[in-house]
Amino acid sequence: MENYQQRIFIINIFSKRERVFQLVGFFLFLFSWEILSVIIANPILFPSLHDIFFSLISILSTGESYTCIGFTILRIAITIILDLAFALVLGLLAGMYGEIEHILLPLENVLRSLPSVAVILIMLIWFKSNITPILVGSLAVFPLLYRSIVDAVKHIEPKFIELSNDFKVPTKTKIRFLYLPHIMIALKTALVSSFGLGVKVVVTSELLSQPKYGIGAALQIAKIQLNTADIFAWAVISLFIIFISHLTFKVKLL
């Protein structure tokens, strides 16, 4: 019992030290940023933390900004939901049947390799600007979710599958009580990564497709106005959305 308590105590000490070092790194980053802004002395090229902070306050004090943030989050949510639905079906089939995985492998490789900018331009020709960010985000996020599900299914203990086959367990029951629990474990990490990637791709798509509302559209306006502080402020908002999503997925999927 004493050895166990000692181990817990040591683990807590190391975790606290890691947090201290992380805080030190964060403040060193902020300090270096401020020094560089003083040296460059050009707010258009490199705004100070003071300028970025007040731009952030200004953005968050207007109702239209929340509309932009809301539309971006909505597009990301639709992207994740659509991809999760398709990835669950195709990933489960591909994990259970190797032939289907081989058939889908070329498509998976193509989606992983496609440049986002090229996809955005093609989608702009085919669809409206409001739909483009969702479609581009879906194409970028789908391979990540699909591969996580396939690998989760393939790594299930063969003896469990053999036992279920020997006892002639119905396919629906196997999916519910054997495959889905393993898939949910794999999705803990995959959803966190997918949402972060979704934010980046959707915002980039909004920047190029220019829907009426969205963080990307707001970034384009800031760029036209040469308001670099606003650009960094919107980047901070995007990072905050990713951070909140990470916490949400970790708590919900525990």
Side-chain angles (χ1 to χ4, degrees):
M1 185 68 180
E2 290 182 2
N3 289 334
Y4 176 76
Q5 291 176 342
Q6 288 175 352
R7 289 177 183 175
I8 295 296
F9 178 72
I10 292 170
I11 291 171
N12 288 334
I13 290 175
F14 276 108
S15 63
K16 288 178 181 178
R17 285 186 63 189
E18 288 176 1
R19 291 174 186 171
V20 170
F21 282 119
Q22 288 171 1
L23 284 173
V24 170
F26 177 70
F27 284 113
L28 279 175
F29 171 76
L30 296 181
F31 179 75
S32 302
W33 186 288
E34 199 63 25
I35 293 297
L36 279 172
S37 69
V38 172
I39 293 172
I40 296 172
N42 187 332
I44 294 178
L45 291 178
F46 203 89
S48 66
L49 294 174
H50 176 273
D51 294 335
I52 296 172
F53 176 76
F54 279 98
S55 288
L56 184 61
I57 296 299
S58 176
I59 288 170
L60 295 177
S61 63
T62 61
E64 188 173 348
S65 298
Y66 290 98
T67 303
C68 290
I69 295 169
F71 268 89
T72 295
I73 292 175
L74 178 62
R75 292 184 182 107
I76 296 165
I78 293 172
T79 295
I80 297 296
I81 291 169
L82 286 175
D83 280 349
L84 190 56
F86 282 107
L88 275 172
V89 175
L90 295 178
L92 186 59
L93 290 173
M96 294 172 65
Y97 307 103
E99 297 84 359
I100 296 178
E101 182 186 7
H102 292 307
I103 291 172
L104 294 176
L105 187 60
L107 176 61
E108 180 188 358
N109 291 332
V110 168
L111 291 179
R112 285 182 180 276
S113 306
L114 276 175
S116 296
V117 175
V119 177
I120 293 169
L121 293 176
I122 293 170
M123 292 296 174
L124 279 173
I125 296 171
W126 291 349
F127 303 102
K128 295 180 180 179
S129 60
N130 285 325
I131 302 175
T132 297
I134 296 172
L135 295 176
V136 176
S138 296
L139 292 177
V141 171
F142 174 78
L144 181 59
L145 291 174
Y146 166 78
R147 180 45 53 186
S148 298
I149 293 170
V150 172
D151 290 342
V153 173
K154 289 172 67 176
H155 284 86
I156 294 174
E157 282 287 340
K159 62 181 179 181
F160 294 145
I161 298 174
E162 290 174 6
L163 281 171
S164 64
N165 291 333
D166 290 341
F167 285 98
K168 297 180 180 180
V169 177
T171 303
K172 289 183 179 180
T173 305
K174 283 196 289 186
I175 290 173
R176 182 179 177 184
F177 294 103
L178 180 59
Y179 292 110
L180 283 182
H182 286 81
I183 289 172
M184 290 304 296
I185 294 171
L187 284 177
K188 287 182 182 180
T189 303
L191 281 173
V192 172
S193 304
S194 297
F195 199 95
L197 177 61
V199 172
K200 295 175 186 176
V201 175
V202 168
V203 170
T204 302
S205 302
E206 290 175 341
L207 179 65
L208 294 176
S209 62
Q210 287 297 287
K212 186 175 180 180
Y213 295 109
I215 292 176
L219 282 168
Q220 180 65 16
I221 293 171
K223 177 190 170 236
I224 293 171
Q225 296 173 345
L226 294 178
N227 194 336
T228 312
D230 270 13
I231 293 174
F232 280 109
W234 280 110
V236 169
I237 291 171
S238 299
L239 289 173
F240 184 73
I241 292 171
I242 294 173
F243 175 72
I244 292 299
S245 71
H246 283 197
L247 291 180
T248 303
F249 282 126
K250 284 181 180 179
V251 170
K252 292 291 184 183
L253 294 173
L254 282 177

